[in-house]
Amino acid sequence: MKMPLIAAAVLAATLFSPLADAADDALLGEARKVATSLPPKMLAALQAEIDKSGPEGAIPACKDMAPKMAGEISQQTGWKIKRVSLKTRNEARATPDAWEKAALEDFDKRAAAGEPPAQLEKGEKVDNEYRYVKALPVQPLCLNCHGPADQISAAVKAVLGQQYPNDRATGYSAGQIRGAISVRKPLN
Ligand code: HEC
């Protein structure tokens, strides 16, 4: 009676794996939507603040508005969302865990090999959660506060020096990967 068992197993595998794939695709789509909702809001807020009060006056936008927006998105969607980086400005908030660190290192390798940074993402089930990260490429606007020393104004340097004595997040050029948006949701 071995054959029917094997046949049943094969049948079960073919029946259920497409379902599992569809569920994973749905989670990936949901995670991607949540993660991509934050950067345009951040960019608009930064641009508005820079226009109003210069890059040094926009520093609170990156500091306080990003977590506030992330909190609102979490409340609306049930996904936790944060920013992580291999070279942090705020290490207390943005230090990646092992899974995020591996993904960020992989993004850097893939970007070096020619993949467009804006397309880099990774999503998978980890233990009892779905986790997803999406690379955050440096845009020209970001250089005001994350660029090489000669592109950061004295006023910005003064505020950064005061508030972030361990700042590692300068020296970037446009197109490099500044970090990632990381989202996660428990699976039941
Ligand atoms: C006006 C200055 C300013 C601009 C412009 C700016 N940032 Fe930041 N950025 C900051 C500050 C300040 C922090 C630290 C925030 C905190 O304390 O959590 C930060 C933190 C971050 C972090 C979190 C990781 C870390 O290192 O702490 C990421 C990711 C990031 N910025 C990406 C960007 C990107 C991408 C852009 C361009 C779209 C950008 N920033 C533009 C000032 C700026």
Side-chain angles (χ1 to χ4, degrees), residues 77-99:
T77 64
W79 290 78
K80 273 195 207 146
I81 175 166
K82 66 181 287 196
R83 300 186 300 175
V84 290
S85 176
L86 292 173
K87 283 171 60 191
T88 52
R89 174 155 288 164
N90 188 333
E91 60 186 346
R93 273 183 187 157
T95 301
D97 66 16
W99 185 85

Side-chain angles (χ1 to χ4, degrees), residues 65-77:
M65 277 155 88
K68 191 168 161 268
M69 287 174 181
E72 285 166 6
I73 294 173
S74 292
Q75 275 202 328
Q76 286 159 10
T77 64

